[in-house]
Each structure stands twice: as structure tokens, then as C-alpha cells.
Amino acid sequence: MNTNLSGVSLITYEDKHFEKLTYPLDEIQSQFTKSVYQNIVVDEILNNKNKFPITILYRQEPVGFFVLDKTADHLLVTANPFSILLRGLSINPDFQGKGIAKQALLLLNSFVKTLFPGINEIVLTVNTNNMKAYHLYLHIGYIDTGRFKEGRYGLQHMLFKRI
């Protein structure tokens, strides 16, 4: 599936994307998200039938990545069994500041509805120290539950968006 907006599109991850997605994250960004290498190679998410790696394309080139997660982890954020967890979003530093993450997130609602017709909510957690990402999520319609959870990289806001 391919959804497109302003040169940005979302597609299901393919092995041919790996090389372009192995961009380094700086020390600060590494505190908030796993690298594509960690997701694909270390965590072996391709072997998990409930985790769906997604590539963000910009002008048909792989520049970003995230995982849609249907494991029980989404129930840590919401009681809604028809939700899906967005995790591990990153953009190649060479392409940051162009609005690509925002455009990808705006495409996400229809992308999820097409891939998973029964899903009616996207949930995520964002580190309390990652204010730039937190404000982006709020700006595009995610709602802060007012609850927190302790994550691998520190305290996390719990957010959701009905779709």
C-alpha cells in the first residue's frame, strides 16, 4: 500500500529499504527511539506477526521508519482492543526539518484504516524530554491521556487519536 501527500508516502517496509534506513541518530535522538538496525536486526521484528515495520518515503526515497504494533503493548496506553501502537518513529537527520514526519503522521490515519480496517485508534508514548515530538503529536490531533508510563528511555506521555 502507498499513500502520498506532498512527496511523502508510507509503504510497508521492504528489505531493499534497509541500507538507506540505517542512518545514524544523534546522541539526543538515540535517547528517544530505536534505530532501524535495532528494530530489524536486533529485535527481529520481521519475525513477529503482530509488528508491522513501515517505511516513510520522500520523493520515492526511504527517509524514515516506524513500527505499527498490535501486540498487547497497546493496552498499556488504552483499554481499547481496536487500537494500534505507533512506535519507533525516526527520520533520517539529513531530511529532518522539512515537515516529513508531520506529513507522514497526517497520512497515518488513512494508512492504518486501509491496512487494518477494524482499528479505530492510534496510541503512542513519547518521552517527557522529547518536547518537539510531543508538541507535534498534539498539533496534529493526538490527545494526552494525562497518564504516564516508565519507558526504556524514561518517563513517557501516553497519547491517543481516534481514527
Side-chain angles (χ1 to χ4, degrees), residues 1 3-5 8-10 102-112:
M1 173 183 182
T3 308
N4 189 302
L5 182 68
V8 176
S9 55
L10 304 176
K102 179 180 178 181
Q103 294 301 320
L105 289 166
L106 291 171
L107 291 169
L108 188 57
N109 296 357
S110 61
F111 187 79
V112 167

Side-chain angles (χ1 to χ4, degrees), residues 13-157:
Y13 170 85
E14 298 173 21
D15 287 337
K16 67 181 181 179
H17 301 153
F18 183 77
E19 186 177 337
K20 289 200 175 183
L21 293 175
T22 54
Y23 44 79
L25 296 173
D26 67 27
E27 189 175 315
I28 293 170
Q29 292 174 352
S30 296
Q31 295 174 36
F32 302 135
T33 192
K34 289 182 178 182
S35 69
V36 174
Y37 177 86
Q38 289 171 305
N39 275 294
I40 299 295
V41 177
V42 178
D43 291 351
E44 298 180 331
I45 64 168
L46 297 178
N47 295 329
N48 187 323
K49 63 182 171 71
N50 289 308
K51 292 187 178 182
F52 306 89
I54 307 299
T55 300
I56 301 169
L57 299 177
Y58 179 63
R59 298 181 177 158
Q60 301 305 311
E61 291 296 319
V63 299
F65 179 86
F66 61 88
V67 176
L68 293 172
D69 185 337
K70 287 180 64 176
T71 66
D73 284 358
H74 69 105
L75 296 174
L76 297 172
V77 181
T78 182
N80 180 358
F82 303 106
S83 65
I84 195 163
L85 178 64
L86 167 66
R87 63 183 343 156
L89 174 66
S90 69
I91 301 290
N92 181 326
D94 292 340
F95 291 88
Q96 291 177 9
K98 299 178 184 302
I100 294 170
K102 179 180 178 181
Q103 294 301 320
L105 289 166
L106 291 171
L107 291 169
L108 188 57
N109 296 357
S110 61
F111 187 79
V112 167
K113 289 301 267 182
T114 302
L115 281 181
F116 309 101
I119 298 297
N120 63 17
E121 183 179 53
I122 301 170
V123 298
L124 61 92
T125 62
V126 61
N127 192 290
T128 56
N129 293 320
N130 192 352
M131 295 308 292
K132 188 173 182 179
Y134 176 72
H135 288 295
L136 171 61
Y137 290 123
L138 293 179
H139 177 74
I140 62 168
Y142 283 82
I143 299 168
D144 191 331
T145 66
R147 298 186 340 247
F148 299 89
K149 77 179 256 322
E150 191 61 41
R152 172 187 345 249
Y153 304 108
L155 197 61
Q156 310 262 321
H157 291 279

